[in-house]
Amino acid sequence: MEFEQLLQLIDHVSDSKLTSFQYEGENLKVSMECGQVQTVTAVGSGDLAIQTVETVTPESSEITHISDIKAAQQEGNLVKSPLVGTFYAAPAEDAQPFVKVGDKVSKGQTLAIVEAMKLMNEIESDFDGEVAEIYVQNGQAVEYGMPLFRIK
């Protein structure tokens, strides 16, 4: 299935009275739900796997990531993921998290780890302040630019 065909399929499902749709082919799996939240998951052949969760508002048809909406509604400085990977709140499974909500942090302090391609990348605070909110859970996949923490 070509990209243009996938876009046409999304349009047709959105315009119909279907509440959900699933398609599975040899190298492609697509599932969609209509309404306020639209989930599109595509898995290709080999090691490539793509998962996207997006909100589509009927009035604007504008696509926005759910985490961006939540982060934009709050005051403070956001620490965003510098890469795509897996978020880890602690240095090891049995260890305490680097920070919790309410902890005071200083610029350069390690807040978490994002694993990408078997490399552990420390996520450091760009700000002095207090951890007001943690937007992701331990072990959750994160995307580039996705808000991880709010520091106030």
Side-chain angles (χ1 to χ4, degrees), residues 69-84:
I69 293 171
K70 186 176 179 183
Q73 296 172 348
Q74 303 294 325
E75 290 181 14
N77 298 304
L78 295 178
V79 175
K80 297 181 177 185
S81 179
L83 63 162
V84 176

Side-chain angles (χ1 to χ4, degrees), residues 93 117 131:
E93 277 188 49
M117 297 176 62
V131 177

Side-chain angles (χ1 to χ4, degrees), residues 52-95:
T52 306
V53 179
E54 300 169 324
T55 298
V56 179
T57 57
E59 303 82 38
S60 67
S61 298
E62 186 175 308
I63 297 174
T64 310
H65 286 83
I66 293 170
S67 58
D68 291 342
I69 293 171
K70 186 176 179 183
Q73 296 172 348
Q74 303 294 325
E75 290 181 14
N77 298 304
L78 295 178
V79 175
K80 297 181 177 185
S81 179
L83 63 162
V84 176
T86 304
F87 175 88
Y88 294 108
E93 277 188 49
D94 55 348

Side-chain angles (χ1 to χ4, degrees), residues 25-42:
E26 190 172 314
N27 293 326
L28 180 68
K29 178 181 177 183
V30 177
S31 66
M32 293 183 268
E33 292 181 24
C34 293
Q36 180 64 19
V37 176
Q38 180 174 346
T39 305
V40 178
T41 305

